[in-house]
Each structure stands twice: as structure tokens, then as C-alpha cells.
Amino acid sequence: MKRSKIASVIANEPIGQEVLVCGWVRTFRNNQFIALNDGSTIKNLQCVVPFEDTDESILKKITTGAAVRLRGSVVASQGRGQNIEIKVSDIDIVGEADPEKYPLQPKKHSLEFLREIAHLRFRTNTFSAITRIRHTAAFAIHDFFHQRGFVYISSPIITGSDAEGAGEMFQVTALDLDNIPTDEQGTVDYKQDFFGKKTHLTVSGQLEAELAALALSDVYTFGPTFRAENSNTSRHLAEFWMIEPEIAFADIYDDMDLAEDMLKHILKSVMTRCTDDLQFLENRLLAEEKNKPQQERSPMTLRDKLQFCIDESYERITYTEAIRILKNSKPNKKKKFNFIIDQWGADLQSEHERYLVEKHFKKPVIITGYPKDIKAFYMRVNDDDMTVAAMDILFPGIGEIIGGSQREERMNVLLQRMKDFDIHPDEMEWFLDTRRFGTCPHAGFGLGFERLVMFVTGMSNIRDVIPFPRYPGSAEF
Ligand code: 4AD
Ligand code: MG
């Protein structure tokens, strides 16, 4: 007999039919009722064991966490809370879980505790819901770009270029660190390293995506990126996944439109495909917020918030307007911000971003036209010669979720910018070739996948939306 997934049994309610279901016991009540979960849905399947006809030794092994294979017929349920249940005829204990030792008990565990046992947290409602939503979001992203004729590019993970300047990098080496080869000057001789040069883990696939876009027009990457910045925050990971589209013959406005369309497509897709998981997470959030003071509770439920970000058009403002709003804001005047905004040119901190989104506009905000000194060398310089065609998208509760720009396609301007940033053209000849031969206006952006998953799931710590988070001091599992 072929195994049925619990999601399909619950959805189809094949009353009267025999089924074979496999999964892990969540709870076993009254020596009779198994709540079975196989990860295909947040819902458990109630399976009723004929305890009078079942060996005591078998019943003893039906414990929380045990893997079982059950055969039985689907019947209408007498109890409340489910329409159907399985009247079990055959029980097969596939993998036991010693209840004395199994760390996950059928009770609420703190997220901090679950992080310590991340290898088992897939088995919780919260984490399995997040994991299914994460999958659905990833699928929606590929679907979105595929529908629009974008080509998926695999950008390298090990890179010999260190020009992106997006953050501190992890070095990759095969040298014996206890016996490092040096040259005559006593400096490390990377010629003897695996690649014959110094290499790092990538911080972004953008530069390579640009190369592809200048031939294939519309491309995107979706891969892991690594930053060794020592930011021990709830929004930073040392290893995170980034989606980076790059579009040719396009400007910053096309870029913003693409980003907004993409975000809405993902949100819609999760809203329609993950109803049960979202409902679970929404209730989880409501319960969590009950313990918070009124003013810290969010005014909208999780799904209202997602729907809101699908329906609303995102506020588009310039950096200059943002600074004006922030300068005149209450928290700035009352010196409540940690970083007081006193002049044009200041970098926006997450407290400022969140003020703009959550207090001032009360919707997602796209900021454009940042001062050129605080943004990367590859961003296109605007006619004012003071700002670049950059754009950041800020989301409620998250802050920056997307960073992007129109790229500098003019060779002479790009060379000057590289000079300003102390980037030697010799190291970037391959990049400059795209400007040398058949250059064209192009633009792109990077979406931080875990920031998006945080938003969609309502989780407040980025370490809870990726299976095995990497952050300063931690690379467990
Ligand atoms: O703004 P960033 O640094 O932009 C780039 O890397 C560009 N090369 C993207 C491009 O134009 N193709 O990063 C993009 C996004 C941020 O908006 C944020 O959502 C996320 O990546 N991000 C992080 N997410 C988790 N942990 C970190 N340490 C992150 N750093 C950036
Ligand atoms: Mg950024």
C-alpha cells in the first residue's frame, strides 16, 4: 500500500477508505489517541489505537517523537477539533524515542532553547511552519522570474574579487595555517594557495549577475552570501541567502517597479498557499503579544499586515526628503534616536528606517537618491553629482529588506568612482570590459531572503527563520 501524506488525507477526507500514514507522534492521549504529524501540514492527524487489542509493549513505544507507520480506515470523527480520524488496524513502530531523554516535550519551548537544539526544532509547529513558508517563498521567487523570462544564474561562492565592498569577508584558503608559506618580504605567498591567489566567500553575486545581464538581458541569482561583519543583531546573519536580479536597458524606476512587483508576488503566493501555517503563526504572535504593553503590540494581525503590503503601493521618497522628515521628527527633536540626524549626508540607521515606515508613512517605503559617499562605487551618479541612483526598500518591523541601484554604465565615471574608493582597475578588468564593449543602462537589487521570511512569518529574530543560523561565535550543526 502506498503511503498517503497527512496533508492530502486531511484535505480529501477519503471516508471509508484504507490508508497508510507515516509520521512522528506529537502526543499520545489516554493510551488511545495519537496526534500524528508528518510535516506535510501543520495539522496533526488523529489516529485512534484499539488499545484493548494492542500489545502493552507496543503501546509503551508510542511516545512523543517516535516514528510510526499506521494502517487503518478513515472515519468521521466523533470528537471536536477534527472532521476525520484514522481507525488504526496496524501499528508499526519505526523509530523509538525514549521519553526520558527526548528533549522536545509536548509543551511550549522558548525559541532560545529551540535554537540550541536546532537539529530537532524542525519537529515543532513553529519551525515546521516557518520552513514550509520559506520553501513557498523561494518557489514563488523562481516562479516570478521564470514567468517574466529571467534566466537563473549561479554566481560563484568562492570569489577572487573583493571589490563589492558590501561587508567584511571570510577568507578561503587551503594553506596550512600552522605553516604559512611566505615570500622574500615575509608576506603570505598566495601563489602557493589552492587558487594561486587570495580568495574569499562571496558577499554578493551582483557583479557576476551584471556580466550575465549584459548578454541575457534579464537574470537573477539566488544563493548564499557571507559577511564576517560582527553584527550580533536580530537582523544579521553571517551566512544568508540573497536574490539578486539584474536587468539590462533599465533604469532605477524599472528597478523599483520590479522589486515592488516581486515582493507582492511572493506575499500573494504565501498568502494563498500557506493559509494554515500563517494562521498558526498569526495566533502564535497574538499570544506572544498579549504579554507586551499595549503600545508595543502591532496594530494589525500577521495576515492583515501581509495583505496590506500586497494592496498598498509603496511610498517612494528621496533620501533628501527622508532627512527632512527625520530632522523634524519628534524622536529626533527629543533626542530619542541613538543617532541624531543633524545634516544631509548622514547614513540612515535602522531606528530611522523604522520611524519612517512604522510611524510616519505607515507602509513600505522606497528611498532613492542616497549621497554618493555612503553608497557603493558601482551605483550610477545622478546629474547633481551628489547623489546616486540607489534605492532601499524598507518594510515594517524589518527596516531594509532590499538594497539596489541603477549601475554606473559610463566608463569614465565608473573609473573615477573606483579611484575615489581606492579600487584598482587592474583587479576589475573583467567588470570594466562590460562598459568597454556594448555598455548599456542597467539596474538590479538584492533581496535578503531571511529578512523577507522574517516579515512573512512575523518572527522577530532572523536566527529563527533559517535552519542553521551562522552568527558571531556560532556555527553549530
Ligand atoms: O544592501 P546590500 O548589502 O546590497 C548588496 O549586496 C547589493 N550587491 C545588492 C544588489 O544590488 N544586487 O544587501 C542586500 C540585502 C539587504 O537589503 C538585506 O535585506 C540583506 O541583503 N542583508 C542581510 N541579511 C541578513 N544578514 C546580513 N548580514 C545582511 N546583509 C544584508
Ligand atoms: Mg544595503
Side-chain angles (χ1 to χ4, degrees):
M1 192 175 202
K2 213 170 155 257
R3 170 192 180 195
S4 300
K5 286 282 183 79
I6 290 177
S8 88
V9 174
I10 289 180
N12 301 326
E13 303 189 348
I15 290 179
Q17 281 181 31
E18 276 277 303
V19 291
L20 172 70
V21 288
C22 303
W24 293 268
V25 176
R26 282 294 172 84
T27 56
F28 186 39
R29 248 182 336 112
N30 296 349
N31 237 3
Q32 198 175 4
F33 301 105
I34 299 176
L36 191 70
N37 192 285
D38 68 359
S40 60
T41 163
I42 188 107
K43 291 181 178 157
N44 298 329
L45 183 63
Q46 172 149 295
C47 304
V48 188
V49 176
F51 66 105
E52 279 163 342
D53 307 330
T54 307
D55 252 26
E56 187 62 29
S57 64
I58 301 264
L59 291 173
K60 272 212 174 104
K61 289 178 183 164
I62 307 177
T63 58
T64 297
V68 296
R69 191 186 290 121
L70 305 175
R71 251 177 101 138
S73 53
V74 183
V75 297
S77 175
Q78 305 300 311
R80 291 195 311 154
Q82 65 275 323
N83 291 338
I84 53 149
E85 60 193 26
I86 307 297
K87 195 164 168 265
V88 176
S89 51
D90 285 295
I91 306 177
D92 197 356
I93 308 287
V94 181
E96 296 174 36
D98 183 347
E100 302 290 314
K101 297 191 182 133
Y102 187 55
L104 282 174
Q105 292 307 315
K107 61 160 196 170
K108 209 169 151 43
H109 293 289
S110 75
L111 293 171
E112 290 74 18
F113 170 71
L114 292 178
R115 238 171 265 150
E116 286 168 21
I117 51 160
H119 57 299
L120 294 174
R121 68 177 174 170
F122 289 113
R123 301 175 179 207
T124 63
N125 282 332
T126 302
F127 209 74
S128 64
I130 293 167
T131 308
R132 282 184 295 268
I133 290 176
R134 190 181 158 105
H135 159 77
T136 304
F139 188 78
I141 289 165
H142 284 297
D143 179 45
F144 173 83
F145 287 118
H146 179 71
Q147 276 181 30
R148 293 184 172 219
F150 281 62
V151 180
Y152 171 43
I153 302 294
S154 306
S155 47
I157 290 172
I158 298 174
T159 171
S161 114
D162 60 358
E164 159 81 8
E168 300 291 317
M169 298 198 289
F170 289 101
Q171 197 177 331
V172 176
T173 182
L175 291 177
D176 176 0
L177 295 183
D178 295 320
N179 185 18
I180 300 173
T182 52
D183 58 17
E184 293 95 72
Q185 284 88 44
T187 49
V188 180
D189 184 10
Y190 284 107
K191 288 205 183 70
Q192 295 190 42
D193 203 348
F194 190 89
F195 297 105
K197 64 190 288 198
K198 202 171 174 177
T199 51
H200 298 92
L201 291 178
T202 187
V203 293
S204 157
Q206 177 198 322
L207 302 185
E208 290 87 358
E210 280 189 54
L211 312 179
L214 266 73
L216 297 158
S217 283
D218 296 330
V219 303
Y220 71 106
T221 70
F222 190 159
T225 49
F226 308 85
R227 299 196 184 173
E229 46 200 3
N230 206 358
S231 16
N232 229 324
T233 80
S234 59
R235 303 183 320 134
H236 288 88
L237 289 167
E239 176 180 296
F240 64 100
W241 288 67
M242 190 152 51
I243 295 93
E244 296 184 276
E246 197 67 34
I247 47 179
F249 301 101
D251 62 17
I252 189 74
Y253 300 99
D254 300 314
D255 204 32
M256 287 192 273
D257 291 344
L258 179 70
E260 192 169 331
D261 288 351
M262 177 197 68
L263 288 169
K264 289 177 174 174
H265 175 90
I266 304 166
L267 298 182
K268 267 187 221 160
S269 191
V270 174
M271 282 284 272
T272 42
R273 291 179 185 170
C274 302
T275 344
D276 296 338
D277 288 325
L278 283 177
Q279 180 162 13
F280 170 82
L281 291 169
E282 180 171 293
N283 292 339
R284 188 196 156 272
L285 215 55
L286 287 171
E288 192 181 79
E289 291 207 331
K290 274 203 187 115
N291 306 321
K292 287 187 183 169
Q294 190 71 41
Q295 73 268 20
E296 283 176 32
R297 297 183 197 169
S298 58
M300 281 186 227
T301 65
L302 179 60
R303 281 174 300 177
D304 285 348
K305 206 176 64 174
L306 303 187
Q307 193 59 48
F308 180 80
C309 293
I310 293 170
D311 297 337
E312 286 291 314
S313 61
Y314 303 172
E315 191 72 33
R316 299 184 181 190
I317 60 166
T318 62
Y319 165 88
T320 306
E321 282 161 12
I323 289 293
R324 186 182 51 75
I325 293 166
L326 289 166
K327 247 172 128 174
N328 293 323
S329 71
K330 248 195 207 156
N332 201 59
K333 287 182 170 160
K334 292 195 169 166
K335 303 215 177 334
K336 286 266 158 59
F337 284 143
N338 290 324
F339 295 87
I340 301 302
I341 299 284
D342 49 10
Q343 59 181 351
W344 193 93
D347 207 351
L348 301 184
Q349 307 295 327
S350 76
E351 55 181 345
H352 308 127
E353 297 173 344
R354 295 187 59 168
Y355 174 84
L356 291 168
V357 173
E358 287 155 38
K359 296 278 176 331
H360 191 84
F361 290 108
K362 297 191 166 64
K363 62 163 151 166
V365 175
I366 312 184
I367 303 184
T368 52
Y370 282 85
K372 65 175 186 180
D373 297 336
I374 60 172
K375 288 288 185 186
F377 77 96
Y378 51 71
M379 298 190 177
R380 193 177 196 278
V381 180
N382 286 326
D383 291 345
D384 60 16
D385 201 30
M386 299 197 13
T387 60
V388 284
M391 65 118 177
D392 275 5
I393 302 192
L394 317 179
F395 254 41
I398 307 289
E400 181 189 334
I401 196 164
I402 280 183
S405 71
Q406 187 173 335
R407 317 306 188 190
E408 185 53 76
E409 85 283 15
R410 299 162 296 186
M411 184 66 153
N412 55 336
V413 186
L414 185 59
L415 283 171
Q416 183 55 50
R417 288 281 285 164
M418 288 172 63
K419 211 167 168 188
D420 296 345
F421 280 84
D422 248 350
I423 300 167
H424 205 279
D426 283 356
E427 291 164 23
M428 298 286 289
E429 283 306 322
W430 51 274
F431 187 67
L432 292 169
D433 262 359
T434 54
R435 275 57 174 178
R436 214 168 261 137
F437 310 116
T439 189
C440 76
H442 60 288
F445 63 80
L447 164 67
F449 189 51
E450 284 73 22
R451 299 236 176 126
L452 173 85
V453 180
M454 279 176 82
F455 179 74
V456 179
T457 57
M459 299 303 289
S460 49
N461 195 320
I462 198 163
R463 296 172 190 179
D464 296 325
V465 299
I466 185 167
F468 303 105
R470 270 83 184 90
Y471 49 92
S474 178
E476 291 307 310
F477 312 104

